[in-house]
Amino acid sequence: YDPTDAMTLVLLTYAEFMNHHFDETIATSRKAHTLQGAHAFVHQVAARAYEQKRDGASAIEELQQFLQEEPTGSRAEIARKELAEVQGIVRASHEKAALTAAPAR
């Protein structure tokens, strides 16, 4: 493959995700995004990889970056819904941790 072609790296990012190679997905999405012609889509794929790794904060950052680069359209609507879901999961996780850490009365 051509590691200097943005579209090739975008497709490789997606293929790595589909094959459950989440660390590679994230690394390739970063490489793809540095190239001219990269698509915001790599942020959406990286966010899903972070979700699989249970890293909600990083998933949120990727989705927010996606929305900065592609604020309108059907993929943006999907990203907004996914962002709200991940934020809810992270919030619930923090609340559960706070309850677990609270001293018993």
Side-chain angles (χ1 to χ4, degrees), residues 5 8-9 14 16 19 24 26 32 35 39 45 50 59 61 67 70 72 83 85 87-88 100-101:
D5 180 64
T8 299
L9 291 180
Y14 185 71
E16 289 169 340
N19 286 303
E24 290 86 350
I26 294 162
L35 300 174
H39 296 272
V45 178
Y50 278 122
E61 288 177 20
L67 290 168
E70 191 174 314
T72 61
L83 179 59
E85 289 174 17
Q87 287 172 327
T100 305

Side-chain angles (χ1 to χ4, degrees), residues 35-63:
L35 300 174
Q36 178 99 13
H39 296 272
F41 178 67
V42 294
H43 292 296
Q44 225 168 3
V45 178
R48 291 182 181 156
Y50 278 122
E51 288 174 40
Q52 293 299 313
K53 292 173 56 91
R54 305 290 189 254
D55 184 349
S58 294
I60 289 169
E61 288 177 20
E62 291 290 342
L63 289 166

Side-chain angles (χ1 to χ4, degrees), residues 14 25 28 30 33-34 38 44-45 64 68-69 83 97-99:
Y14 185 71
T25 299
T28 304
R30 288 183 181 148
H33 199 261
T34 65
Q44 225 168 3
V45 178
Q64 289 172 333
Q68 285 181 347
E69 294 176 21
L83 179 59
L99 289 173

